[in-house]
Amino acid sequence: EAQVTQNPRYLITVTGKKLTVTCSQNMNHEYMSWYRQDPGLGLRQIYYSMNVEVTDKGDVPEGYKVSRKEKRNFPLILESPSPNQTSLYFCASRTGDYSYEQYFGPGTRLTVT
Amino acid sequence: QKEVEQNSGPLSVPEGAIASLNCTYSDRGSQSFFWYRQYSGKSPELIMFIYSNGDKEDGRFTAQLNKASQYVSLLIRDSQPSDSATYLCAVNPPPGRKAAGNKLTFGGGTRVLVKP
């Protein structure tokens, strides 16, 4: 089954404790993205990747890191989480440029206390 | 001004009626437009895309695009309780922009409630 998986689905952590949210897709997609979703603000892109070792900032990259060492994986790293990073996070992937269908993962609800 | 704007709702419609959702965008050169549906606690799923002026129909859904006025709308005919969800409008920036193909800008979403 074609899918994007994320782990963990729920995470409660404390300020400053490094964490990683994993994202994996089994569709051989080139493009992957991370979004955060907050009430009233909609989905905002954090980082995206156009292929292995090619990443770039989205609209709200501060406080996040990503890497793309393998085509299928695109982890999101919070080196020192803060309460304002409490949010719902989605990973997404799609095929090449101007592909219309973006596949979203199930989401990770992160709470930073 | 937000790049993509939607009325947050909720838009309450009786079962069987037409739900009409609107979305405006600020970048006049935008060429690709998408409607996603998101159920509470779930991830967005693509239901329609449109890139030419006019109407595009898919089952009970019709997307309408007017580039001159910079708005895109979604009509849901014969609304069902299962259509109750938040509908997200998303826009691609114009071609030629850096990584234009990968960047989707989303509106805040319109919550739709279909009452039996």
Side-chain angles (χ1 to χ4, degrees):
Chain A
E1 179 190 355
Q3 61 181 352
V4 179
T5 57
Q6 294 178 229
N7 282 292
R9 295 289 313 279
Y10 302 90
L11 178 60
I12 300 174
T13 189
V14 296
T15 298
K17 185 176 181 182
K18 180 179 178 180
L19 66 92
T20 299
V21 183
T22 65
C23 172
S24 183
Q25 50 94 3
N26 63 0
M27 297 166 279
N28 202 36
H29 284 169
E30 295 171 350
Y31 288 78
M32 298 185 73
S33 295
W34 275 104
Y35 294 87
R36 61 178 289 175
Q37 187 173 35
D38 303 289
L41 297 176
L43 279 161
R44 293 179 292 168
Q45 192 180 52
I46 303 170
Y47 268 95
Y48 61 90
S49 169
M50 291 174 282
N51 215 322
V52 174
E53 302 292 3
V54 182
T55 64
D56 207 348
K57 297 176 181 179
D59 296 319
V60 287
E62 294 78 20
Y64 305 95
K65 287 176 57 177
V66 293
S67 68
R68 187 95 179 270
K69 293 182 169 44
E70 304 168 281
K71 197 171 186 178
R72 62 183 291 128
N73 295 325
F74 190 44
L76 179 70
I77 302 156
L78 285 71
E79 294 270 3
S80 182
S82 62
N84 65 11
Q85 292 179 298
T86 293
S87 187
L88 179 58
Y89 291 87
F90 289 103
C91 179
S93 75
R94 62 175 183 80
T95 56
D97 213 0
Y98 294 101
S99 168
Y100 295 114
E101 184 148 18
Q102 189 150 207
Y103 292 80
F104 282 87
T108 295
R109 187 165 291 282
L110 172 65
T111 301
V112 183
T113 61
Chain B
Q1 181 190 8
K2 289 185 179 178
E3 292 182 61
V4 180
E5 294 205 59
Q6 298 179 253
N7 189 316
S8 61
L11 174 66
S12 185
V13 296
E15 184 174 358
I18 296 175
S20 179
L21 292 75
N22 293 319
C23 169
T24 59
Y25 60 94
S26 60
D27 194 329
R28 182 169 290 277
S30 299
Q31 297 197 357
S32 304
F33 307 87
F34 309 86
W35 284 101
Y36 284 81
R37 177 177 61 200
Q38 186 176 25
Y39 292 112
S40 181
K42 302 295 185 182
S43 55
E45 55 177 327
L46 182 67
I47 53 172
M48 292 283 291
F49 65 85
I50 188 168
Y51 51 90
S52 299
N53 272 333
D55 296 359
K56 180 181 180 182
E57 187 174 317
D58 184 358
R60 295 186 295 110
F61 297 98
T62 299
Q64 300 174 316
L65 176 60
N66 184 322
K67 289 185 178 180
S69 300
Q70 295 178 239
Y71 80 77
V72 55
S73 60
L74 179 70
L75 300 178
I76 307 173
R77 289 183 303 282
D78 188 25
S79 296
Q80 302 297 310
S82 59
D83 294 326
S84 297
T86 296
Y87 290 80
L88 304 170
C89 173
V91 178
N92 253 14
R97 296 275 181 84
K98 180 184 177 187
N102 194 51
K103 178 170 171 54
L104 274 183
T105 299
F106 286 83
T110 297
R111 186 170 165 225
V112 173
L113 295 174
V114 180
K115 297 186 175 181

